[in-house]
């Protein structure tokens, strides 16, 4: 039986780094919303933070460093940095609040559900969830640059990507719920089939 990898590893360190980046990114976006230079650096911070998500996953899988801490907190870190971006963009008036509320309700609702599902099974991110995260990240990056600074064609592309990201967020949320129902049903079915200890 192989030993479980330690939680003290590079992928988990990158996850923690992403969590630390959340307040820094939020302050840069909100305190300097209409300064072009600051918006450029704010975008850089977001891109570097979100890239750690793709890097830590690859390292964890390649070197067999996948841990329960990583499976849970990697997702929380993703939602923290993207959630801060959506809220910040809505606060500065560059993204409709209904989009932010819809996306965050799905994101944190599914996160809470995954925590409750730990009694049955650890639900790792599925392929649809990864595509959703990548699309959200691209949309946020384009918006962080500042649509008031970019050509009309970039604005159109940015809104198109954001709408797709919003749609994927809803669809993948439904997929997670379906998976959770299946996992719970299978677990309860297996439990009922186990022989009783009573003699």
């Amino acid at each position: 039986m192989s030993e479980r990898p330690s939680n003290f590893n590079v992928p988990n360190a990158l996850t923690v780094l992403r969590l630390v980046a959340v307040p820094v990114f939020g302050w840069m976006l909100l305190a300097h919303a209409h300064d072009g230079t600051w918006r450029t650096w704010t975008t850089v911070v977001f891109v570097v933070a979100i890239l750690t998500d793709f890097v830590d996953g690859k390292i964890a899988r390649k070197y067999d460093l996948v841990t329960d801490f990583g499976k849970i907190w990697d997702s929380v870190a993703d939602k923290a940095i993207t959630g801060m971006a959506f809220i910040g963009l809505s606060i500065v008036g560059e993204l409709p609040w209904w989009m932010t509320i819809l996306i965050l309700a799905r994101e944190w609702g599914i996160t809470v559900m995954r925590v409750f599902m730990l009694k049955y099974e650890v639900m790792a991110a599925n392929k649809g969830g990864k595509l959703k995260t990548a699309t959200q990240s691209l949309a946020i990056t384009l918006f962080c640059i500042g649509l008031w600074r970019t050509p009309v064609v970039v604005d159109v592309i940015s809104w198109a990507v954001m709408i797709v990201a919003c749609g994927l967020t809803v669809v993948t949320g439904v997929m997670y719920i379906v998976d959770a129902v299946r996992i719970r049903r299978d677990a309860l079915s297996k439990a009922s089939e186990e022989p009783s200890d009573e003699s």
Side-chain angles (χ1 to χ4, degrees):
M1 182 177 178
S2 59
E3 294 184 1
R4 287 187 175 184
S6 169
N7 283 326
F8 296 95
N9 57 48
V10 172
N12 288 348
L14 290 174
T15 295
V16 172
L17 177 64
R18 195 154 64 257
L19 286 168
V20 172
V22 174
V24 176
F25 165 74
W27 172 78
M28 292 177 71
L29 176 60
L30 296 175
H32 307 279
H34 305 296
D35 184 302
T37 300
W38 272 96
R39 285 297 288 264
T40 297
W41 284 110
T42 300
T43 305
V44 170
V45 170
F46 176 79
V47 170
V48 170
I50 211 65
L51 282 177
T52 65
D53 176 37
F54 297 99
V55 173
D56 64 17
K58 288 183 179 297
I59 294 175
R61 288 186 293 272
K62 182 176 180 179
Y63 296 101
D64 194 24
L65 296 174
V66 177
T67 62
D68 285 350
F69 174 92
K71 288 179 181 179
I72 297 299
W73 285 99
D74 180 67
S75 177
V76 172
D78 295 342
K79 289 169 177 54
I81 191 74
T82 55
M84 181 67 253
F86 285 122
I87 291 172
L89 289 168
S90 290
I91 289 175
V92 300
E94 297 178 22
L95 186 68
W97 273 107
W98 71 264
M99 273 191 166
T100 293
I101 293 170
L102 177 64
I103 290 172
L104 294 188
R106 178 275 189 207
E107 296 288 34
W108 290 105
I110 294 300
T111 297
V112 171
M113 183 192 75
R114 288 172 71 181
V115 170
F116 279 107
M117 288 300 295
L118 287 175
K119 59 162 53 169
Y120 303 111
E121 181 180 314
V122 174
M123 296 182 69
N126 58 33
K127 291 183 179 179
K130 293 180 185 299
L131 177 60
K132 177 268 302 178
T133 299
T135 308
Q136 282 186 359
S137 300
L138 176 58
I140 291 170
T141 299
L142 292 169
F143 270 73
C144 275
I145 294 171
L147 299 190
W148 41 273
R149 320 167 49 200
T150 55
V152 174
V153 64
V154 176
D155 297 353
V156 172
I157 292 172
S158 300
W159 277 107
V161 175
M162 183 62 77
I163 291 170
V164 170
C166 192
L168 283 173
T169 300
V170 174
V171 171
T172 55
V174 173
M175 289 170 60
Y176 271 117
I177 293 172
V178 171
D179 286 344
V181 171
R182 175 187 55 78
I183 290 170
R184 182 177 183 277
R185 183 185 63 237
D186 291 348
L188 293 177
S189 176
K190 183 178 179 180
S192 66
E193 292 172 0
E194 292 179 353
S196 173
D197 292 334
E198 296 178 3
S199 55

